[in-house]
């Protein structure tokens, strides 16, 4: 029976609640089957061992409605459950135009923060149609299905609220495009890994503090990236090329990085990295993590020593966005269905070019400009922004040992 056919047909909302155990859903519908009703809608939630089961069914004949009510209540009582049956017309009212997924990340997520987010959604003209938990650790992640307002104004309103109350909020349009995103491109330094690679090289050259100061200014957007890159690399002149292997061994992946990449690959996504760092490290990461794409600057090495120069085209702020577009073209993925993740000012063009730009533990200028910001130190939380639950990640890990761990 179509939605139009049920719009003015008498229906019954049958609600069952109590202690959950196997067989409740089958038992309810076995009971209803005796009255030849059609199922219009079903929703079931189990929270801490308590079930709420709602079944919207067509109303039986007038002569048998009383018997149906009595039979359902009798069955529920026999199962030590409670039942409520409400008469009405038709199906659920249609959801409003403008549909979005609002993902809220808290560490922890407090009731005050949840109230503030819900109030801001309502204040923007949105209606919360459904809420469910995506993850309980390493953060609490909850998703709101919202209708009734457009995505962009909702995102703007919630970004302000999130900053004020100290949670991370991502707002994306509902629809098939969310499930179709098939390319994720990440920055490397302070995103995929915890380190700044040039500072690892600088530590071996004895100029770490000087390089770190220039790096920080460049990431804040205070210095031209290409000029700062050349200035920092010049300080590495004369280092023995064997330092490359030492730096590779020192690189520390960000917590959750392997889980993020492994899960994305299982979902059929392609994954790449672009870096203002160096191919001497990103090529190694590409091989270790099974990445599809990797591009960075290249340290020039002559006669077994670093020359203090880089070779080839510089990967800077504009270069990262250009590479995102190139990777998307090679992957056969529309730019609107890409995700970019980064933390510094030189990631801004890439974040703005992608369908979804995620600022990961980013500098303030980046957080303000990105579609969404994640401020917890776990890279795999990005999965929740794509609607992937923690349970799905863990189930995949248990059943597949083929991808890098």
């Amino acid at each position: 029976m179509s939605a139009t056919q049920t719009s003015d047909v008498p229906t019954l909302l049958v609600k069952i609640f109590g202690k959950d155990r196997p067989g409740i859903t089958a038992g309810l519908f076995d009971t209803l089957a005796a009255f030849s009703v059609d199922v219009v809608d079903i929703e079931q939630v189990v929270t801490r061992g308590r079930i709420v089961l709602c079944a919207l069914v067509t109303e039986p004949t007038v002569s048998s409605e009383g018997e149906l009510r009595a039979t359902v209540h009798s069955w529920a009582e026999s199962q030590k459950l409670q039942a409520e049956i409400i008469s009405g017309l038709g199906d659920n009212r249609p959801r409003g135009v403008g549909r979005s997924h609002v993902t809220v990340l808290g560490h922890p997520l407090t009731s005050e923060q949840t109230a503030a987010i819900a109030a801001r959604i309502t204040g923007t003209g949105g209606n919360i149609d459904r809420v469910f938990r995506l993850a309980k650790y390493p953060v609490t992640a909850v998703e709101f299905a919202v209708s009734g307002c457009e995505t962009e104004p909702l995102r703007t309103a919630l970004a302000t609220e999130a900053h004020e109350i100290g949670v991370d909020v991502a707002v994306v349009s509902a629809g098939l495009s969310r499930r179709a995103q098939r390319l994720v491109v990440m920055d490397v330094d302070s995103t995929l890994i915890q380190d700044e690679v040039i500072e690892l090289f600088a530590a071996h050259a004895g100029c770490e503090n000087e390089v770190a100061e220039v790096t920080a200014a460049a990431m804040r957007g205070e210095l031209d990236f290409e000029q700062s890159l050349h200035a920092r690399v010049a300080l590495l002149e004369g280092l023995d090329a064997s330092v490359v292997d030492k730096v590779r061994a020192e690189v520390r992946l960000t917590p959750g990085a392997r889980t993020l990449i492994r899960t994305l690959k299982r979902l059929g996504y392609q994954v790449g990295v672009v870096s203002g760092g160096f191919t001497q490290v990103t090529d190694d990461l590409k091989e270790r993590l099974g990445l599809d794409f990797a591009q960075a600057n290249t340290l020039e090495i002559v006669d077994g020593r670093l020359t203090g120069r880089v070779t080839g085209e510089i990967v800077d702020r504009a270069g990262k966005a250009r590479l995102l577009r190139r990777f998307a073209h090679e992957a056969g993925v529309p730019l609107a269905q890409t995700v970019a993740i980064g933390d510094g000012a030189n990631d801004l063009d890439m974040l703005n070019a992608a369908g979804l730009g995620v600022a990961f533990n980013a500098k303030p200028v980046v957080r303000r400009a990105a579609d969404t910001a994640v401020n917890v130190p776990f890279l795999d939380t990005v999965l929740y922004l794509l609607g992937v639950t923690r349970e799905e990640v863990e189930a995949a890990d248990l059943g597949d040992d083929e991808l890098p761990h």
Side-chain angles (χ1 to χ4, degrees):
M1 188 176 292
S2 70
T4 54
Q5 289 175 310
T6 60
S7 61
D8 57 359
V9 171
T11 52
L12 296 178
L13 174 59
V14 181
K15 298 173 63 179
I16 303 295
F17 38 97
K19 186 176 180 180
D20 186 38
R21 60 185 173 277
I24 291 176
T25 306
L28 173 62
F29 285 97
D30 277 343
T31 303
L32 293 172
F35 299 91
S36 300
V37 295
D38 296 331
V39 177
V40 178
D41 195 6
I42 310 172
E43 188 151 344
Q44 178 174 308
V45 177
V46 177
T47 305
R48 209 181 66 181
R50 309 294 291 185
I51 186 172
V52 178
L53 169 59
C54 295
L56 187 65
V57 298
T58 54
E59 194 175 70
T61 61
V62 176
S63 61
S64 61
E65 181 183 339
E67 185 182 352
L68 180 150
R69 289 174 176 270
T71 302
V72 169
H73 280 287
S74 177
W75 168 82
E77 186 177 351
S78 73
Q79 301 296 311
K80 298 182 179 179
L81 299 168
Q82 293 178 281
E84 181 181 6
I85 303 175
I86 303 169
S87 298
L89 288 176
D91 197 352
N92 304 309
R93 64 180 177 81
R95 294 180 63 192
V97 296
R99 300 179 185 180
S100 304
H101 297 284
V102 177
T103 306
V104 182
L105 308 179
H107 190 53
L109 179 62
T110 69
S111 55
E112 291 84 359
Q113 291 166 334
T114 306
I117 292 296
R120 184 59 70 101
I121 290 172
T122 302
T124 312
N127 184 73
I128 299 171
D129 300 316
R130 186 170 297 168
V131 185
F132 61 94
R133 186 178 69 184
L134 293 166
K136 60 182 178 182
Y137 72 92
V139 299
T140 300
V142 178
E143 181 170 293
F144 295 78
V146 177
S147 63
C149 60
E150 297 300 325
T151 298
E152 286 303 322
L154 181 62
R155 178 183 292 146
T156 300
L158 290 180
T160 302
E161 189 68 40
H163 178 73
E164 292 175 357
I165 64 177
V167 296
D168 296 334
V169 176
V171 182
V172 298
S173 297
L176 292 176
S177 62
R178 189 189 192 204
R179 296 183 179 274
Q181 289 167 327
R182 286 291 180 263
L183 173 67
V184 175
V185 176
M186 289 175 275
D187 175 42
V188 175
D189 294 9
S190 297
T191 300
L192 178 62
I193 66 173
Q194 301 177 59
D195 313 281
E196 292 287 334
V197 168
I198 196 165
E199 293 177 14
L200 297 179
F201 279 101
H204 291 279
C207 57
E208 184 178 10
N209 290 338
E210 186 175 354
V211 165
E213 290 176 4
V214 179
T215 299
M219 292 302 99
R220 291 192 299 266
E222 298 170 2
L223 294 176
D224 174 81
F225 178 81
E226 183 172 350
Q227 291 177 336
S228 71
L229 175 67
H230 289 304
R232 289 174 290 171
V233 171
L235 297 170
L236 307 181
E237 182 180 2
L239 271 179
D240 192 278
S242 63
V243 76
V244 170
D245 288 333
K246 296 177 183 177
V247 167
R248 285 175 174 175
E250 292 167 352
V251 164
R252 301 166 299 162
L253 291 174
T254 298
R258 287 185 183 276
T259 301
L260 172 66
I261 294 169
R262 188 168 64 245
T263 305
L264 290 172
K265 298 292 288 182
R266 286 171 175 156
L267 289 169
Y269 282 53
Q270 297 188 58
V271 185
V273 293
V274 290
S275 176
F278 309 110
T279 56
Q280 282 84 356
V281 170
T282 57
D283 287 351
D284 180 62
L285 289 170
K286 180 181 180 183
E287 182 177 352
R288 285 167 52 195
L289 299 173
L291 302 174
D292 299 285
F293 305 98
Q295 189 68 45
N297 300 300
T298 299
L299 291 169
E300 184 181 63
I301 298 175
V302 176
D303 296 330
R305 292 193 176 274
L306 275 65
T307 66
R309 297 186 295 272
V310 292
T311 62
E313 187 178 2
I314 297 298
V315 178
D316 56 8
R317 175 170 168 167
K320 287 188 173 185
R322 185 168 59 251
L323 287 165
L324 171 70
R325 293 185 176 92
R326 192 185 87 189
F327 293 167
H329 177 74
E330 292 178 5
V333 174
L335 200 60
Q337 294 174 7
T338 62
V339 180
I341 311 167
D343 75 300
N346 66 329
D347 297 315
L348 278 172
D349 289 3
M350 175 177 73
L351 297 180
N352 290 332
L356 176 64
V358 181
F360 181 73
N361 291 308
K363 283 68 179 174
V365 65
V366 183
R367 289 200 303 269
R368 288 193 295 268
D371 293 327
T372 188
V374 172
N375 296 300
V376 293
F378 311 108
L379 193 57
D380 53 339
T381 55
V382 173
L383 292 168
Y384 310 144
L385 308 184
L386 306 177
V388 180
T389 70
R390 191 75 202 179
E391 288 79 5
E392 289 170 330
V393 173
E394 292 174 351
D397 281 345
L398 287 173
D400 186 353
D401 294 323
E402 296 179 1
L403 293 171
H405 282 70

